[in-house]
Amino acid sequence: MRSALLLLLLLAVCAASHAAIFREAPQFFNSPDCPSLPDDLEKRNEKGQHHCFNHAVHVAMTLDTAYIRGSMAAVLSVLQHSSCPQSVIFHFVYSASANASSLHATVSHSFPYLKFQLYPFDDEAASRLISTSIRSALDCPLNYARSYLANLLPTCVARVVYLDSDLILVDDIAKLAAHPLGGESVLAAPEYCNANFTAYFTPSFWSNPSLSLTFANRKACYFNTGVMVIDLDRWRAGDYTTKIEEWMELHKRIRIYELGSLPPFLLVFGGRISPVDHRWNQHGLGGDNIRGLCRDLHPGPVSLLHWSGKGKPWARLDANRPCPLDALWAPYDLLQTPFSIDS
Ligand SMILES: *[C@@H]1O[C@H](CO)[C@@H](O)[C@H](O)[C@H]1NC(C)=O
Ligand SMILES: *[C@@H]1O[C@H](CO)[C@@H](O)[C@H](O)[C@H]1NC(C)=O
């Protein structure tokens, strides 16, 4: 009973949005030196079949009504900065309780030439493992879909770039997708070794000898799970989904961390990832998780801007209270103005 109520509450928070109408994006073409596409790819695309061809860049994102404006902007940014945009294949995970045909129609209306596939995600199964955190949006079951990509995507997809919906790329995603996964690494992502790792877990975690030993002999650093290159073959072989679920189950019994879907990734992969240059996740642009203050870029080059944190650029632009960097997001916004919806 209690968990049914929690699920209803989560679904209400997670799906709170209005129907929106998006513009059509321009068509993007491969440059001459891109690897050639299979002859029957367009046909396969029409039939909605999986696109298991070599040289494709596979991108996984979630799609829901609350963040769809961000997702559409992210897709546009990927295509626009890609030298081989026709070789990028999108895998969208949506809540099984959402209207799939409506999501499909929205994506194909804006991107008629996009190669993409939709995958339903069982929210109810995920919500049973979720404990509430400090920010309710972090508790949306779909936030946990990134832990299930290896099960959701077809086995011919060996590597995927996972992207959050509140970001834009300003560089070629193929460079990120090709990042080497050295040794036995399952993930590649930018690491932040100056962040206070201790703070992500509770005192009861650190004071429990067997739990705190989790990080013994590892140089674990914080990483953000909004941008990750995932070796799905290694993930499947190591059954990392189960390892993440085990930590979530433990967390339901003893509170061991503060944030939502991130800490289980730190527990399983911290100190074992391939570090990616920081340019690929200029995160925190949404401000802190409590107040949504404006943030500046970290020093250094920028390939990806990420509005992680409470404030989202579309909401601040709509409210006429944008942060300075929100102007970099605005050109990718595909939302029709309310005026053109009415006319
Ligand atoms: C789902 O969306 C489609 C297309 O937008 C619409 O025709 C249909 O009525 C919707 N179904 C439900 C159950 O809302
Ligand atoms: C790191 O965080 C912990 C727990 O919040 C705190 O006790 C500790 O003083 C912090 N360390 C540094 C160097 O800030």
Side-chain angles (χ1 to χ4, degrees):
M1 182 60 199
R2 194 166 156 264
S3 65
L5 271 177
L6 179 64
L7 177 66
L8 277 178
L9 198 75
L10 287 179
L11 292 179
V13 170
C14 303
S17 184
H18 314 283
I21 297 177
F22 295 93
R23 286 186 284 121
E24 185 175 330
Q27 188 174 6
F28 297 94
F29 297 96
N30 278 4
S31 66
D33 29 327
C34 292
S36 58
L37 302 167
D39 292 337
D40 66 339
L41 190 65
E42 293 310 323
K43 212 179 298 160
R44 285 196 239 170
N45 200 25
E46 279 163 29
K47 289 194 209 148
Q49 286 172 349
H50 307 311
H51 317 282
C52 302
F53 75 100
N54 297 333
H55 311 299
V57 170
H58 293 277
V59 180
M61 296 180 69
T62 60
L63 211 53
D64 65 5
T65 47
Y67 276 58
I68 194 159
R69 191 168 165 193
S71 306
M72 302 290 271
V75 171
L76 176 58
S77 75
V78 167
L79 298 174
Q80 192 164 318
H81 297 280
S82 182
S83 49
C84 305
Q86 292 173 293
S87 307
V88 183
I89 295 168
F90 285 85
H91 303 266
F92 295 115
V93 182
Y94 68 97
S95 152
S97 58
N99 185 336
S101 49
S102 160
L103 290 171
H104 194 282
T106 302
V107 174
S108 17
H109 176 258
S110 284
F111 302 103
Y113 312 99
L114 196 71
K115 298 176 183 72
F116 73 97
Q117 189 95 24
L118 288 172
Y119 304 85
F121 178 63
D122 184 356
D123 300 63
E124 277 188 60
S127 67
R128 275 195 288 275
L129 288 170
I130 299 173
S131 318
T132 48
S133 74
I134 52 165
R135 183 154 68 92
S136 55
L138 293 176
D139 300 327
C140 292
L142 206 51
N143 250 327
Y144 293 79
R146 69 195 85 193
S147 316
Y148 296 88
L149 294 175
N151 314 43
L152 291 166
L153 270 50
T155 48
C156 70
V157 180
R159 175 184 283 224
V160 74
V161 177
Y162 172 80
L163 297 177
D164 270 351
S165 299
D166 51 358
L167 54 79
I168 54 163
L169 277 85
V170 291
D171 198 352
D172 191 345
I173 194 164
K175 294 189 218 162
L176 174 61
H179 191 278
L181 284 157
E184 293 298 302
S185 288
V186 178
L187 294 185
E191 276 191 317
Y192 305 91
C193 294
N194 293 329
N196 185 351
F197 197 76
T198 312
Y200 291 96
F201 300 93
T202 57
S204 39
F205 174 84
W206 293 115
S207 62
N208 181 315
S210 63
L211 291 180
S212 58
L213 269 178
T214 311
F215 292 112
N217 309 316
R218 290 206 240 168
K219 202 191 167 312
C221 298
Y222 168 79
F223 62 94
N224 179 282
T225 53
V227 179
M228 299 184 282
V229 183
I230 307 176
D231 184 318
L232 293 174
D233 285 338
R234 286 182 187 167
W235 184 296
R236 291 175 186 118
D239 193 12
Y240 289 100
T241 299
T242 302
K243 293 184 172 119
I244 286 177
E245 285 187 337
E246 283 167 0
W247 281 113
M248 291 173 72
E249 276 160 17
L250 178 68
H251 179 58
K252 281 214 84 138
R253 290 187 279 121
I254 326 165
R255 204 169 174 84
I256 53 173
Y257 47 78
E258 302 297 349
L259 290 168
S261 61
L262 169 74
F265 271 83
L266 297 181
L267 286 159
V268 174
F269 297 111
R272 294 170 176 156
I273 69 171
S274 289
V276 172
D277 192 288
H278 286 179
R279 67 190 302 151
W280 286 103
N281 194 349
Q282 285 269 356
H283 66 289
L285 304 183
D288 66 53
N289 274 350
I290 314 295
R291 282 181 299 167
L293 299 172
C294 290
R295 288 280 180 90
D296 209 350
L297 287 172
H298 306 267
V302 182
S303 294
L304 184 153
L305 296 133
H306 185 187
W307 279 262
S308 56
K310 193 169 190 296
K312 300 303 169 200
W314 53 88
R316 292 195 296 231
L317 287 161
D318 281 358
N320 244 327
R321 281 171 47 198
C323 286
L325 288 171
D326 295 347
L328 298 176
W329 183 87
Y332 300 94
D333 187 11
L334 285 170
L335 190 75
Q336 299 266 29
T337 63
F339 307 103
S340 48
I341 294 172
D342 293 339
S343 63

